[in-house]
Amino acid sequence: MTNCSTKEVDTLTKTLDLIIYIPVLVFGLALNIAALVVFCRLLRKWTESSIYMTNLALMDLLLLLQLPFKMHAAHHEWAEDKKMLCSFLESLYFVAMYGSIYTIVCIAIDRYIAINHPFRAKQMRSKKNALIVCISIWVFVMAATSPIYTFREWKRTGNNFQCFHGFSKKGWSTAIIVCLEVFGFLLPAAVLVVCSIQSVRTLKASNNADHKGQAGVRIIYSSLAAFLVPFTPCHVAILLQYLVRNEIILDCNQQKNIALFIQVSINIANVTCCLDALCYYFIAKEVRSTKETLRLSISRARTTSSSDV
């Protein structure tokens, strides 16, 4: 990599981190803890949707708990004996981010099955299956992020280092970035878009579309935007930083702009912890609407079958 100083960007992002992270941490913790209290203590009956939303709240809380360490690491160097703690925190940060992505996708798939395949939904959707899917997400993202422990590059001053900074060139290898972009974003985004579009089409075609169906359509579009708007810039920035670290982009001004872009986009991605919490109420409302649509779909299907006979 060429000698291009990004100290100005680092100084700017330290201020930006404080401006964004503190409100996100305060409101995100309050909203997600409140959501967990509602899901775990106040709801009279667990459903597939409440299990997925509880898992999403846990993922968001895990990500939020990393923010104080990130803010501290941005302004202070850590002692050498904190290396393993640093790698552990970095790993958990990515576990939370990509765990949230996959949980959101699973919510969309569950919704798609309920709306578009009402007969199969009774067989495929269950609290046990939802719990198995959530556990599988945790196992998958923890296994997928484990290589983080092996490609750290410690920026040192004496015996100290700066955490959450300085992945080695191994961490920016083509194989790592391709897997991250494809399996961490492109594939989940494609599944989410397809499921959302199909669900919207069914809701618009249903007799319920004049009232609650229209509300469901708006909620689906809002959920889709809440996923694509924060996570798309983040993964575009990762791709651009890959080009910088592999000396494909050599212009110093472009490198500084990319360094700023990746920090800003990551901050935006962290805001989803608050957006997810605000969406819980609307998702729960959509579930009730979906159940009515599901009953209507089954009733129409039975009527059609009877008339054919």
Side-chain angles (χ1 to χ4, degrees), residues 30-82:
L31 291 170
N32 282 281
I33 290 173
L36 285 178
V37 171
V38 171
F39 295 146
C40 298
R41 298 296 300 273
L42 301 183
L43 286 182
R44 291 175 294 178
K45 184 179 179 181
W46 277 80
T47 64
E48 297 85 2
S49 298
S50 62
I51 291 173
Y52 285 125
M53 289 188 285
T54 298
N55 194 63
L56 182 59
L58 290 173
M59 290 291 185
D60 286 340
L61 279 174
L62 183 61
L63 192 147
L64 286 167
L65 292 176
Q66 313 304 310
L67 297 187
F69 296 100
K70 285 177 65 67
M71 287 188 288
H72 183 274
H75 296 268
H76 303 86
E77 292 184 334
W78 290 15
E80 189 175 8
D81 59 358
K82 300 294 191 300

Side-chain angles (χ1 to χ4, degrees), residues 132-174:
I132 291 173
V133 169
C134 290
I135 294 174
S136 299
I137 290 173
W138 281 92
V139 172
F140 172 73
V141 294
M142 290 180 72
T145 57
S146 60
I148 289 177
Y149 289 91
T150 67
F151 49 70
R152 281 294 305 168
E153 180 182 272
W154 306 104
K155 290 187 176 181
R156 300 168 59 97
T157 302
N159 293 324
N160 298 331
F161 69 93
Q162 190 173 15
C163 190
F164 291 101
H165 294 272
F167 282 139
S168 66
K169 193 168 184 178
K170 180 182 178 182
W172 294 96
S173 67
T174 301

Side-chain angles (χ1 to χ4, degrees), residues 190-211:
V191 173
L192 180 64
V193 169
V194 170
C195 289
S196 299
I197 291 174
Q198 293 298 322
S199 298
V200 166
R201 287 179 178 176
T202 301
L203 286 175
K204 286 185 175 180
S206 69
N207 293 332
N208 201 39
D210 292 339
H211 302 287

Side-chain angles (χ1 to χ4, degrees), residues 236-255:
V236 171
I238 290 173
L239 179 60
L240 293 174
Q241 186 67 6
Y242 159 78
L243 299 177
V244 171
R245 294 301 296 265
N246 285 271
E247 300 182 1
I248 297 174
I249 295 178
L250 299 176
D251 182 77
C252 187
N253 288 330
Q254 290 183 356
Q255 290 182 8

